[in-house]
Amino acid sequence: MPAVNVADWTVLPRVIAAPTQTEDRAPVTVTTAPKGYEGEGFPVRRAFAGVDPSKLDPFIHMDQMGEVEYAPGEPKGTPWHPHRGFETVTYLVDGVFEHQDSHGGGGSITDGDTQWMTAGSGLLHIEAPPEWLVVKGGLFHGLQLWVNLPKADKWLPPHYQDIRSADVGLGSTPDAGALLRVIAGEVDGVKGPGSTHTPMAMVHATVLPGAEMTVPWRTDFNALVYVMSGSGYVGRERRPIESGQLAVLGHGETITVGADQQQDSRHPALEVVLLGGLPIREPIAWAGPFVMNTKAEVMQAFEDFQKGRLGTIPTVPHAEVHGEMLQD
């Protein structure tokens, strides 16, 4: 897994485990993400499927993209599609993804990079592997998270943050048994570079076999633990959790995650994403690629898209707008 790493975890700032008298967040539910396909046919796992939306707020949707080893000619992306009213956070662990939008934005992300897109008032967007990767094939693995915007920010101009792997905040547990990559927010003084409209934290942690981490977590944030690969447990009660599962945690001051002593040969450690944010607690009207506050606003978004008000496709060979509403 080529997401950002360092040779010696002991040289990193320590994320200190809180005293044992603190309240650890116990798992309320553990769900298994169903498998499906997105875009032009790449495999995903729907991490939030079957979870009470009120427990996810301010998060709306998350796909684990892959992990898949493409043969030559197989890599796939998405067609042109619109967005309005929220932010997409695309974190790439393995592979390369190129993106472009109708406002002239774009770029390429690869191992450990994050593309943070504030769709705001709306735009058209496309994501695809580069042509050389389509020809060659290779490993593809990542996450895409949708973060809601509060009503006051839904009409902001579209904006990108290009977060490179070298820019994320790095920390380790006191025994150096876990590496934390802080993409957004702050964990015990380790800050991530992501600038967020809603206070939140996003952390990718690698926990070595047999190791355990206990990290402080803001009490006004919710807390989610998603397993990208490996097996282990969550909470002081050690509730089992494995690849493709999401734990929704209750109230408390810390999050505890541990890795099983034995991991499979393809995944030598437990890889988890910790998510938490300040709930927005506003009405949500969601249809396809539009997340607004009322049904009328969603219908207006569809009309604006159909009439070309969300932008026009740049002159790109073979680029076409697909009318179906795809979740990116």
Side-chain angles (χ1 to χ4, degrees), residues 26 228 269 328:
M228 290 193 291
D328 181 31

Side-chain angles (χ1 to χ4, degrees), residues 98-114:
E98 294 181 340
H99 58 97
Q100 185 179 10
D101 71 33
S102 54
H103 286 251
S108 178
I109 55 174
T110 186
D111 308 338
D113 295 338
T114 301

Side-chain angles (χ1 to χ4, degrees), residues 24-28 30 212 233-240 256:
D24 196 61
R25 289 178 178 252
V28 177
V30 173
E212 180 181 279
Y233 58 87
V234 61
R236 288 183 180 151
E237 69 205 51
R238 298 195 166 199
R239 183 160 177 180
T256 296

Side-chain angles (χ1 to χ4, degrees), residues 72 98 163 185-186 277:
E98 294 181 340
I163 301 173
E186 180 179 348

Side-chain angles (χ1 to χ4, degrees), residues 287-323:
F290 305 127
V291 183
M292 307 302 291
N293 295 109
T294 68
K295 183 178 179 180
E297 290 172 335
V298 171
M299 297 305 293
Q300 183 64 54
F302 276 104
E303 180 181 338
D304 289 347
F305 166 58
Q306 291 164 355
K307 293 185 176 180
R309 296 172 185 154
L310 298 188
T312 56
I313 304 301
T315 304
V316 178
H318 312 300
E320 298 179 354
V321 177
H322 289 231

Side-chain angles (χ1 to χ4, degrees), residues 17 38 49 56 90 144 151-152 234 250:
E38 191 50 87
L56 301 173
T90 306
Q144 185 170 94
K151 183 179 179 65
V234 61

Side-chain angles (χ1 to χ4, degrees), residues 6 9 11-15 168-174 176 178-182 187 190-191 203-206:
V6 295
W9 295 1
V11 303
L12 297 174
R14 294 298 203 272
V15 175
V168 306
L170 296 176
S172 69
T173 49
L179 170 68
L180 286 80
R181 306 166 185 86
V182 183
V187 180
V190 180
K191 297 181 180 180
V203 180
H204 170 200
T206 299

Side-chain angles (χ1 to χ4, degrees), residues 33-39 42-49 60-67 78 89-93 127 140-146 202 226-228 273 275 286 326-328:
K35 297 179 180 180
Y37 292 91
E38 191 50 87
F42 57 86
V44 297
R45 299 197 74 158
R46 308 289 194 195
F48 294 166
I60 304 165
H61 171 83
M62 189 167 75
D63 278 342
Q64 180 179 9
M65 306 178 296
E67 179 180 8
T78 71
V89 181
T90 306
Y91 175 58
L92 205 61
V93 179
E127 295 165 305
F140 177 67
H141 189 200
L143 291 174
Q144 185 170 94
L145 172 69
W146 290 16
M202 180 177 181
Y226 181 75
V227 181
M228 290 193 291
V273 172
L275 294 171
W286 173 18
L326 292 173
Q327 290 178 346
D328 181 31

